[in-house]
Amino acid sequence: MNEVGKEILIAKTDIEKRVRELADTISRDYEGRELILIGILKGAFVFMADLVRQLRIPCQVDFVRLASYGTVTVSTGNIAISKDIETSIEGRDVLVVEDIVDTGLTLSALVERLKKRDPHSLKVCVFLDKKDRRKVPFEAEYVGFNIPDRFVVGYGLDFNEMYRFLPDICVIGEN
Ligand code: XMP
Ligand code: MG
């Protein structure tokens, strides 16, 4: 248990180790190239900040904001972008960075949208993956941790905007 009484699922030290491993893999895969990281606000901001500081390749960062989870019906090819990226990705190597993939609806729709802008390549890096919950097929190229179907907070992830600041990934509720 931590200070707000949540059950820790992934501890800070394990997160740090895994982020370093992911950054090593990504740095190797993109050696000699330059990346644009696109973080999905708000949840990805902590992961993105940690990841970018461990990369050993030149990169730019940008952010996209989508309509918030649960308040809008999301279906493939139809997502509301409330804040678009401010960089042209045409001909560029793009890595979308997200906190968690759940049903897969958000990321599959966003990837389709971004591919229409003709990037040279487009891959996805998610910190957490709840594979059991997919409604559409979706595989991220880089995955931090596979987790069971529990609602998690911390490390950027929130419950009603709370707990994003927690350094560990914690489980809340009784699911
Ligand atoms: P999809 O479209 O894959 O959506 O269902 C992924 C989005 O769902 C939110 N999400 C969570 N947020 N704890 C959270 O704080 C969770 O356990 C969780 N599961 C899904 C999240 O906003 C993500 O971007
Ligand atoms: Mg999110």
Side-chain angles (χ1 to χ4, degrees):
M1 294 282 184
N2 66 9
E3 73 275 17
V4 287
K6 307 281 172 289
E7 180 196 337
I8 294 178
L9 184 66
I10 308 169
K12 181 177 184 282
T13 47
D14 296 321
I15 293 174
E16 287 166 357
K17 181 166 172 281
R18 186 69 188 120
V19 172
R20 271 198 303 275
E21 288 170 359
L22 283 172
D24 282 349
T25 307
I26 294 166
S27 300
R28 267 198 309 275
D29 290 355
Y30 289 91
E31 203 180 337
R33 289 148 77 187
E34 193 186 294
L35 255 186
I36 299 184
L37 304 188
I38 299 181
I40 306 182
L41 293 171
K42 302 176 190 174
F45 84 106
V46 177
F47 176 43
M48 177 113 150
D50 281 352
L51 185 70
V52 79
R53 285 176 291 176
Q54 298 289 336
L55 290 175
R56 298 184 309 274
I57 47 167
C59 56
Q60 295 177 15
V61 299
D62 206 335
F63 292 92
V64 67
R65 175 103 166 101
L66 307 175
S68 44
Y69 185 70
T71 61
V72 101
T73 309
V74 183
S75 63
T76 307
N78 179 25
I79 42 161
I81 293 181
S82 58
K83 184 222 147 322
D84 205 345
I85 51 170
E86 290 154 24
T87 322
S88 168
I89 57 169
E90 190 180 341
R92 308 292 304 269
D93 290 310
V94 176
L95 185 64
V96 174
V97 179
E98 173 62 315
D99 52 0
I100 186 165
V101 53
D102 185 28
T103 63
L105 289 166
T106 309
L107 274 169
S108 58
L110 181 65
V111 163
E112 285 316 304
R113 286 276 284 267
L114 293 176
K115 276 186 176 163
K116 290 190 179 134
R117 300 181 189 180
D118 292 325
H120 174 253
S121 71
L122 195 158
K123 291 186 184 178
V124 176
C125 176
V126 294
F127 181 62
L128 300 174
D129 192 341
K130 283 187 189 172
K131 278 207 173 5
D132 298 344
R133 299 251 314 162
R134 283 300 191 285
K135 288 187 181 157
V136 291
F138 180 84
E139 291 291 331
E141 282 80 5
Y142 304 100
V143 176
F145 295 94
N146 287 297
I147 61 164
D149 181 14
R150 312 278 300 275
F151 197 84
V152 292
V153 295
Y155 200 63
L157 290 112
D158 74 306
F159 173 69
N160 286 346
E161 293 301 325
M162 294 181 295
Y163 309 125
R164 290 192 196 276
F165 59 88
L166 294 176
D168 312 293
I169 289 290
C170 302
V171 174
I172 58 168
E174 302 187 355
N175 54 349

